[in-house]
């Protein structure tokens, strides 16, 4: 194989690796929150739990569903079906939006139940609050890139340029690879947080 | 974000397109330029951080004198020619923050990881040049916020670089805990994001982009050190981010993660149940690894510089790598030695004592190996090499007192005294600066294609080295007799009056050392334009960066990438014609590769 081709292939592998590392460091952020949570809970004192399964179950379902649409986008992209890929990416973006919306309404519901973070002698809502917000920020930043990718695929489709020069330099491919890694991670992360909160809150 | 970098780098070949000044020097994606940018930014920060220390040292030396000149220069911080007490706290806080985070973390790693990682592993650039540039520009954004916090109208942050709540959490507690502290937290959050972006890239580049023949065990120790630095950062910094986020919530949204039952000025606050010690745990879980994030790159630079300038292979190459690994792992197990007096189960204190003393082992292995690398070497004296030796000296002197502090019983007596100040300035502060200086003197020809002036380098070294010991050595004795750190003045304490003169001496030396740094800065900028033109390989070194054209081209090498055939320390190899063999030279017939 031509050496520069090989170089470029390794470079694309390196990008995926960067994403793995980013996922690892993001895990550390939540490890920080959840261990602070456990330390605080273990220290005793007021701590009222709340069953969150009913409050956040819709959003949990949505984010898992969006993993499926992401997968579809990934496959469509691999098959070179740009239009479909663009559509599925947009659908994933929309799911993200819905997810955030239901997180928000869930939160409002909890606040109305007296489960509010500020000035509450019960410390559990504030942990929930932080965890949900920081996760949502992660989701929102992923959505930004979903939107960009969706628009870019759409524009490429319209411009009918010769896209695939060679299979190794398919930029779109790498882009959706990275995006789907991140997006599936968002789902898994939320599942972990949901489970954590369900069992420990 | 990540993907457009691939588009830029798509054919992996050297590019030669016309570039404007802006795209070449300002928003550059080239690792060589980004390395310079980090260095320049760090130099600016270091001058500011140093200046702050001169201001608060002046207060400590002459607490009763007035300085109208300083008042005209820094009117917000002075009244009646005297540094205000709250400004004193702000100065020490900002000095620590600037030096630890902005100079010795961002700039030291940023400069040398950018310069050395692609060059020494034979890559055209970082895995993601765009992410790399983004890391620098977010660092600049963080710098802007940090600078703004210094000039916050009601006062600069003054809770110490460790920003313990409740002081940092409640605006009522001190003027600097208002807007200044908010800006500080934003700056640190941005700073962490920048550091993480850099670190991801360094690790991925080292693991994926090595040229043909560059196995892991053929990488120079500088690359190994930067590799472990990035790993430590990747695991530790996110936790500080969590702590900063929780603190921001406590400050802005009325939560009480770290606050409980506090009464300020007679009125109780609505917080309850939070734990300030939780913050200390989160902070030091980063804070201790952070000191190694600072020292590991310096260690890598020194290993490299010592081997090259004593014309000997580094002693115990693999032992060096495994001690780096040992430090990396153990640096996560000792954080609570900063909290022995915060209230801790004595048994837990014992556990942390044991781990703390154990971490001295990999550190001493490294010291032993540096000394044995020097031993009977053909030592070439130049500014780079003596700064590296100075590093070893300072690291030993400061490291020994770490063992005292690591024992919880002794630490209860010494905590928060000048003994701790002496310990960490020698082992980390000054030592890391020495590593950085060694690196700059050594790689200046690679960065700018010219040589620095040696005479000025010797003067810089001599005064800084002697000065560092004069400043920090007496502080051990002050700390042993109980002089506390972070005090505005000692006028009211008879017990400490014996150190009044000592404080004057320390301050005078501080000012001299500070001024001396301008010799370095002059030398640096003068040599950039007027220095002697550098030859291709000025130090007769074996590593790949010296095979790339001096003028610095995009993509680092014309045509194919260099191919590596041996480890980086073939100096004075028996049977060889010259006293060094470049990594690109194939093994001779029958020659056995050293390890
Ligand atoms: C030889 C092994 C070492 C041991 C056993 C050790 C032990 C300690 C201990 C116990 C403290 C806490 C003192 C106190 O606050 O009461 C301390 C403080 C400190 N050490 Fe070390 N240390 C060692 C090496 C290092 C190294 C290599 C660095 C940096 C490169 C370093 C940087 C610091 C810093 C920055 C502080 C002070 C932080 C602060 O309170 O502001 N130490 N050390
Ligand atoms: Cu420590």
């Amino acid at each position: 194989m031509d050496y520069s081709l090989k170089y470029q292939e390794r470079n694309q592998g390196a990008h995926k690796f960067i994403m793995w590392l980013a996922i690892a460091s993001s895990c550390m952020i939540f490890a920080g929150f959840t261990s602070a949570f456990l330390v605080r809970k273990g220290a005793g004192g007021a701590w009222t739990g709340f069953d969150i399964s009913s409050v956040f179950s819709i959003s949990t379902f949505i984010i898992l569903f969006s993993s499926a649409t992401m997968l579809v986008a990934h496959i469509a992209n691999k098959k070179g079906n740009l239009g479909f890929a663009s559509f599925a990416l947009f659908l994933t973006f929309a799911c993200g939006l819905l997810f955030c919306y239901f997180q928000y309404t869930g939160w409002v519901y909890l606040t109305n139940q007296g489960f509010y973070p500020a000035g509450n002698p019960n410390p559990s809502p504030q942990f929930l609050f932080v965890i949900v917000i920081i996760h949502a920020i992660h989701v929102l930043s992923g959505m930004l890139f979903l939107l960009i990718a969706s628009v870019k695929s759409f524009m490429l489709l319209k411009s009918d340029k010769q896209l695939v020069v060679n299979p190794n330099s398919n930029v779109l491919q790498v882009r959706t690879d990275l995006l789907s890694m991140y997006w599936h991670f968002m789902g898994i992360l939320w599942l972990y947080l949901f489970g954590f909160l369900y069992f420990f809150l | 974000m990540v993907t457009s970098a691939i588009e830029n780098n798509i054919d992996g070949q050297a590019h030669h397109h016309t570039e404007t000044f802006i795209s070449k020097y300002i928003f550059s994606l080239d690792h060589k330029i980004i390395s310079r940018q980090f260095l320049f930014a760090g130099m600016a920060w270091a001058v500011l951080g140093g200046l702050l220390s001169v201001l608060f040292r002046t207060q400590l030396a002459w607490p009763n004198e007035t300085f109208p000149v300083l008042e005209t220069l820094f009117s917000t911080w002075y009244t009646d020619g005297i540094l205000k007490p709250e400004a004193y706290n702000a100065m020490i806080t900002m000095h620590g923050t600037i030096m630890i985070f902005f100079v010795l973390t961002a700039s030291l790693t940023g400069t040398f990881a950018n310069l050395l990682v692609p060059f020494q592993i034979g890559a055209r650039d970082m895995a993601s040049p765009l992410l790399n540039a983004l890391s620098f520009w977010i660092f600049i954004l963080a710098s802007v916020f940090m600078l703004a916090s210094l000039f916050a109208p009601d006062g600069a942050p003054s809770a110490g670089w460790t920003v313990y709540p409740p002081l940092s959490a409640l605006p009522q507690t001190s003027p600097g805990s208002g807007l200044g502290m908010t800006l500080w937290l934003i700056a640190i959050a941005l700073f962490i994001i920048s550091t993480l972006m850099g670190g991801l890239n360094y690790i991925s580049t080292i693991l994926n982009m090595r040229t043909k023949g560059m196995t892991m065990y053929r990488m120079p120790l500088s690359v190994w050190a930067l590799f472990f630095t990035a790993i430590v950062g990747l695991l530790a910094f996110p936790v500080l981010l969590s702590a900063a986020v929780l603190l921001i919530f406590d400050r802005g949204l009325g939560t009480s993660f770290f606050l409980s039952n506090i009464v300020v000025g007679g009125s109780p606050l609505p917080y309850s149940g939070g734990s300030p010690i939780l913050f200390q745990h989160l902070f030091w879980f980063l804070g201790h690894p952070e000191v190694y994030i600072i020292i590991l790159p310096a260690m890598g630079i020194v290993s490299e510089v010592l081997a090259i300038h004593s014309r000997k292979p580094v002693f115990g190459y693999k032992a060096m790598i495994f001690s780096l690994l040992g430090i990396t792992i153990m640096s996560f197990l000792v954080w609570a030695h900063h909290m022995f007096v915060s209230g801790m189960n004595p048994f837990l204190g014992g556990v942390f004592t044991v781990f703390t003393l154990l971490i001295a082992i990999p550190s001493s292995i490294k010291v032993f190996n540096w000394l044995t690398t020097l031993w009977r070497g053909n030592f070439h004296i130049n500014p780079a090499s003596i700064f590296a030796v100075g590093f070893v000296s300072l690291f030993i002197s400061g490291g020994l007192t770490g063992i005292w502090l690591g024992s919880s019983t002794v630490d209860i007596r010494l905590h928060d005294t000048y003994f701790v100040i002496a310990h960490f300035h020698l082992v980390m502060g000054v030592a890391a600066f020495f590593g950085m200086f060694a690196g700059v003197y050594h790689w200046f020809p690679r960065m700018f294609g010219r040589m620095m002036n040696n005479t000025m380098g010797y003067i810089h070294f001599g005064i800084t080295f002697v000065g560092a010991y004069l400043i920090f050595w007496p502080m051990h004795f002050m700390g042993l007799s109980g002089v506390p750190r972070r005090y505005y003045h000692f006028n009211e304490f008879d017990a400490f009056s014996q150190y009044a003169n000592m404080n004057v001496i320390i301050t005078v030396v501080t000012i001299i050392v500070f001024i001396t740094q301008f010799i370095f800065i002059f030398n640096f900028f003068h040599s950039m334009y007027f220095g002697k033109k550098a030859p291709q390989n000025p130090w007769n070194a074996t590593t790949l960066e010296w095979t790339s054209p001096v003028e610095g081209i995009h993509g680092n090498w014309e045509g194919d990438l260099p191919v590596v055939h041996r480890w980086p320390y073939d100096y004075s190899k028996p049977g060889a014609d010259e006293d060094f063999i470049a990594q690109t030279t194939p093994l001779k017939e029958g020659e056995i590769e050293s390890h």
Side-chain angles (χ1 to χ4, degrees):
Chain A
M1 198 198 298
D2 178 7
Y3 195 67
S4 75
L5 251 183
K6 201 167 156 195
Y7 187 87
Q8 159 199 332
E9 203 177 63
R10 278 189 290 143
N11 189 295
Q12 298 185 354
H15 278 74
K16 284 192 200 163
F17 195 75
I18 289 181
M19 186 52 85
W20 280 119
L21 294 171
I23 288 173
S25 65
S26 172
C27 285
M28 285 307 289
I29 296 180
F30 287 94
F33 290 138
T34 47
S35 52
F37 178 109
L38 290 178
V39 168
R40 178 68 188 277
K41 189 179 179 193
W47 185 280
T48 326
F50 200 94
D51 182 5
I52 55 152
S53 57
S54 60
V55 184
F56 292 121
S57 52
I58 304 181
S59 49
T60 307
F61 174 75
I62 291 174
I63 199 152
L64 293 181
F65 177 73
S66 75
S67 259
T69 58
M70 187 73 231
L71 194 67
V72 171
H74 189 83
I75 295 171
N77 196 58
K78 222 172 215 160
K79 298 211 163 131
N81 190 341
L82 274 182
F84 203 63
S86 165
F87 173 70
L89 283 169
F90 187 76
L91 209 61
T92 315
F93 167 81
C95 285
L97 215 56
L98 263 182
F99 170 80
C100 290
Y101 173 74
F102 280 108
Q103 293 288 84
Y104 173 74
T105 53
W107 184 254
V108 170
Y109 170 78
L110 283 174
T111 318
N112 292 336
Q113 303 285 312
F115 205 69
Y116 52 88
N120 193 336
N122 171 23
S124 50
Q126 56 191 31
F127 278 100
L128 182 64
F129 186 57
V130 168
I131 289 176
V132 168
I133 286 200
I134 300 298
H135 178 262
I137 291 177
H138 276 76
V139 169
L140 286 170
S141 51
M143 281 163 58
L144 181 70
F145 290 102
L146 279 172
L147 196 61
I148 295 174
S150 164
V151 171
K152 275 202 170 175
S153 318
F154 189 70
M155 276 167 27
L156 257 177
L157 184 69
K158 289 282 142 191
S159 72
D160 58 38
K161 247 194 263 163
Q162 185 61 32
L163 169 70
V164 185
V165 186
N166 71 62
N168 297 312
S169 72
N170 185 344
V171 172
L172 263 189
Q173 184 85 49
V174 180
R175 181 179 294 145
T176 36
D177 274 3
L178 295 179
L179 259 176
S180 54
M181 283 167 74
Y182 185 77
W183 197 257
H184 295 317
F185 169 62
M186 284 298 99
I188 293 169
L189 179 62
W190 175 251
L191 217 56
Y192 158 73
L193 292 171
F194 185 77
F196 180 88
L197 292 169
Y198 180 75
F199 286 112
F200 293 102
L201 194 65
Chain B
M1 170 183 71
V2 178
T3 41
S4 50
I6 304 175
E7 285 154 347
N8 290 317
N9 208 354
I10 206 84
D11 59 357
Q13 282 292 345
H15 287 274
H16 294 283
H17 35 86
T18 45
E19 288 174 301
T20 62
F21 179 82
I22 302 250
S23 76
K24 186 162 178 201
Y25 291 110
I26 312 290
F27 295 109
S28 171
L29 300 183
D30 186 340
H31 72 103
K32 299 185 283 297
I33 304 289
I34 295 176
S35 152
R36 292 186 206 182
Q37 290 174 325
F38 268 114
L39 185 55
F40 293 147
M43 281 164 79
W45 271 123
V47 170
L48 181 61
L51 178 69
L52 296 180
S53 72
V54 169
L55 294 184
F56 67 68
R57 276 308 320 179
T58 307
Q59 156 62 25
L60 284 176
W62 301 286
N64 305 317
E65 309 269 322
T66 57
F67 297 93
V69 193
L70 291 177
E71 180 160 4
T72 32
L73 285 174
F74 310 103
S75 54
T76 41
W77 298 330
Y78 282 78
T79 38
D80 303 330
I82 293 183
L83 187 65
K84 289 189 241 175
E86 57 271 21
Y88 175 87
N89 284 347
M91 301 293 100
I92 58 162
T93 301
M94 294 305 287
H95 166 76
T97 307
I98 291 172
M99 291 303 196
I100 289 181
F101 290 115
F102 286 76
V103 181
L104 294 178
T105 302
S107 174
L108 175 57
T109 301
T111 304
F112 289 101
N114 271 298
L115 181 71
L116 299 181
V117 167
F119 262 144
Q120 291 194 327
I121 65 172
R124 300 218 180 268
D125 206 314
M126 286 293 173
S128 170
L130 185 69
L131 196 61
N132 203 26
L134 221 53
S135 154
F136 175 74
W137 286 104
I138 292 179
F139 165 66
I140 291 297
L141 196 63
S143 299
V144 170
F145 274 95
M146 193 50 87
L147 205 60
S149 86
L150 182 59
F151 296 105
D154 33 1
S158 47
W161 79 277
T162 50
V163 295
Y164 281 5
L167 198 52
S168 59
L170 299 170
Q172 304 88 308
T173 51
S174 90
S177 296
L179 178 64
M181 196 61 223
T182 305
L183 291 170
W184 192 98
L185 286 167
I186 296 173
I188 286 297
L190 287 169
F191 177 89
I192 293 170
I193 292 170
S194 142
T195 311
L196 289 176
M197 284 181 164
L200 304 173
N201 220 344
Y202 308 149
I203 299 176
S204 184
T205 307
I206 292 170
L207 289 181
N208 293 294
M209 306 304 291
R210 299 190 312 278
T211 187
K212 205 168 165 198
M214 180 59 82
T215 57
M216 291 297 270
Y217 282 137
R218 284 181 183 161
M219 293 197 313
L221 286 173
S222 39
V223 176
W224 271 109
L226 290 161
F227 178 63
F228 285 116
T229 307
I231 293 178
V232 177
L234 203 70
L235 296 174
F237 266 117
V239 178
L240 182 65
L241 190 57
S242 313
V245 166
L246 295 182
L247 194 53
I248 290 172
F249 277 72
D250 270 6
R251 291 172 56 81
L253 295 167
T255 55
S256 39
F257 290 108
F258 304 132
L259 298 168
S260 76
N261 310 351
I262 295 167
V263 179
V264 175
S267 49
L269 302 181
Y271 303 102
S272 69
S275 158
I277 297 193
L278 177 61
F279 180 85
Q280 297 189 14
H281 278 294
L282 290 175
F283 181 87
W284 286 115
F285 184 81
L286 158 94
H288 184 82
E290 165 66 8
V291 305
Y292 285 97
I293 290 174
I294 289 175
I295 209 69
L296 290 182
M299 287 175 162
I301 291 170
V302 164
S303 308
E304 195 65 12
V305 169
L306 283 183
I308 292 171
H309 295 288
S310 41
R311 314 307 296 162
K312 271 181 66 187
V314 82
F315 185 88
Y317 173 70
K318 286 201 178 152
M320 289 300 229
I321 296 170
F322 283 99
S323 55
L324 285 172
L325 177 68
I327 289 176
T328 299
I329 295 170
M330 292 182 60
S331 69
F332 287 98
L333 303 175
V334 300
W335 77 88
H337 65 210
H338 296 275
M339 299 166 56
F340 284 140
V341 300
S342 301
M344 183 189 294
N345 182 327
F347 174 73
L348 208 59
V351 173
F352 277 105
T353 295
V354 171
F355 280 130
T356 301
L357 298 184
L358 282 178
I359 206 171
I361 296 174
S363 309
S364 350
I365 292 177
K366 302 200 74 78
V367 168
F368 179 80
N369 287 356
W370 288 320
L371 296 178
T372 34
T373 302
L374 283 170
W375 181 250
R376 298 214 166 145
N378 171 15
F379 190 66
H380 289 200
I381 293 182
N382 53 48
S385 66
I386 52 177
F387 265 107
V389 175
F391 169 93
V392 178
S393 159
L394 290 159
F395 187 76
I396 296 174
S397 309
L400 287 175
T401 53
I403 296 170
W404 292 40
L405 293 169
S407 148
S408 55
T409 41
V410 181
D411 184 63
I412 287 172
R413 177 75 169 69
L414 292 175
H415 177 69
D416 264 353
T417 67
Y418 271 82
F419 194 88
V420 178
I421 304 282
H423 159 66
F424 74 75
H425 277 88
L426 289 178
V427 74
M428 174 186 80
V430 190
F433 261 103
F434 270 49
M436 194 164 176
F437 285 133
V440 171
Y441 282 109
H442 182 84
W443 279 290
F444 189 88
R446 177 60 270 177
M447 293 181 96
F448 298 104
R450 290 176 187 271
M451 308 296 286
M452 285 180 83
N453 178 297
N454 274 1
T455 316
M456 278 191 267
Y458 294 135
I459 297 172
H460 175 218
F461 171 80
I463 299 179
T464 311
F465 184 72
V466 176
Y469 273 110
L470 283 178
I471 293 168
F472 294 111
W473 200 255
M475 289 188 189
H476 291 105
F477 301 98
M478 298 172 67
L480 284 171
S481 34
V483 182
R485 68 193 276 204
R486 294 179 175 164
Y487 271 36
Y488 174 57
H489 65 56
F490 296 99
N491 288 354
E492 264 113 77
F493 305 92
D494 286 342
F496 304 141
S497 59
Q498 53 171 323
Y499 289 115
N501 291 335
M502 190 49 87
N503 269 330
V504 175
I505 296 173
I506 292 177
T507 301
V508 170
V509 180
T510 305
I511 295 172
I512 295 172
V513 170
F514 180 66
I515 294 171
T516 306
Q517 303 315 304
F518 288 95
I519 299 178
F520 167 75
I521 293 176
F522 174 79
N523 187 358
F524 185 94
F525 286 105
H526 189 264
S527 309
M528 240 169 91
Y529 294 103
F530 307 108
K532 212 171 71 199
K533 277 247 169 11
Q536 176 71 40
N537 187 357
W539 313 120
N540 290 337
T542 59
T543 40
L544 295 181
E545 75 270 30
W546 304 106
T547 62
S548 158
V550 187
E551 64 275 13
I553 57 166
H554 207 320
N556 294 345
W557 287 274
E558 296 275 7
D560 283 341
L561 290 170
V563 178
V564 169
H565 297 280
R566 55 179 74 235
W567 80 327
Y569 297 107
D570 270 342
Y571 293 104
S572 311
K573 191 168 185 175
D577 311 328
E578 280 187 276
D579 79 338
F580 74 106
I581 313 172
Q583 281 190 282
T584 48
T585 313
L587 293 178
K588 274 198 288 210
E589 214 164 307
E591 184 186 354
I592 297 165
E593 191 182 354
S594 335
H595 274 296

